[in-house]
Amino acid sequence: MTWLAMFFGLLVVISPLFWVRSTPQERKIEAMRTLARQSGIHVALQKRPDAKKNETGIEAVCYRLPWRVNRPDHTWVLHRFSDRGKQSDISGWRWLNGEVDDYWIVKLGSVVENLPKTVSAVVCDSAGVGFIWKETHDEVVFGVIRGKLYDLRDFIEKKTTNA
């Protein structure tokens, strides 16, 4: 009987350890974040870009490429899936915290036009340029996001350097 009590006591102590194990989806997302970091992309949890000041929940993930050269003087957020902000010339997207000159609209439009539906915002600030998205563990989607991030950073840095 003592052995049985010790066995159940040990089960009670060990069982919570099995609850903290990550799921297969969590392991895939962590592997994707590692791949992103190896590509020079910073991954950070943050509030939604259209969140009000009293909305403090960390609900978004930003994959951001830091600047290599001069930082742009402007800061802006282009987002979708919310009515907050100012209407943009790019269908389905709205401006928050600034906007860009007209000659940027064509390039931004081409970048956001084929973004996966899981991307909710494009962010440009002193830290770099990034996409806020609801992560999936799909490597094809990540490849699209990574390619468009590099393309957009190159465009912004070239415009900033030539301006």
Side-chain angles (χ1 to χ4, degrees):
M1 187 67 158
T2 306
W3 287 104
L4 191 56
M6 287 176 47
F7 176 72
F8 283 117
L10 188 59
L11 278 178
V12 168
V13 171
I14 293 177
S15 64
L17 296 177
F18 292 106
W19 295 339
V20 296
R21 292 181 49 203
S22 43
T23 66
Q25 181 174 348
E26 289 171 335
R27 285 192 294 274
K28 287 179 182 179
I29 287 177
E30 186 52 43
M32 188 175 54
R33 288 178 181 178
T34 300
L35 181 61
R37 286 186 206 100
Q38 291 170 348
S39 300
I41 298 170
H42 296 183
V43 180
L45 300 173
Q46 66 179 48
K47 292 183 355 179
R48 287 186 346 264
D50 62 328
K52 294 178 181 175
K53 291 186 188 242
N54 63 344
E55 296 175 332
T56 59
I58 305 295
E59 303 172 358
V61 179
C62 185
Y63 279 51
R64 184 184 314 262
L65 264 177
W67 303 116
R68 294 173 298 187
V69 293
N70 301 342
R71 294 179 175 159
D73 293 337
H74 45 82
T75 298
W76 49 264
V77 175
L78 187 62
H79 75 103
R80 60 180 167 184
F81 308 132
S82 170
D83 290 335
R84 295 183 188 156
K86 181 181 174 187
Q87 185 65 40
S88 77
D89 291 337
I90 302 169
S91 178
W93 293 83
R94 299 182 71 82
W95 292 111
L96 283 173
N97 305 328
E99 52 189 288
V100 297
D101 296 329
D102 289 339
Y103 64 86
W104 290 49
I105 295 297
V106 173
K107 180 61 175 180
L108 277 174
S110 70
V111 167
V112 301
E113 141 183 83
N114 294 320
L115 279 174
K117 293 292 184 198
T118 54
V119 175
S120 62
V122 181
V123 178
C124 178
D125 59 21
S126 62
V129 62
F131 293 143
I132 294 178
W133 71 304
K134 182 177 178 161
E135 290 173 300
T136 62
H137 57 270
D138 186 343
E139 291 180 25
V140 173
V141 171
F142 172 68
V144 169
I145 288 172
R146 179 178 50 196
K148 287 189 176 271
L149 262 178
Y150 276 99
D151 188 32
L152 186 57
R153 180 181 69 177
D154 291 346
F155 172 78
I156 293 171
E157 285 181 340
K158 188 182 303 181
K159 287 294 184 187
T160 303
T161 303
N162 293 336

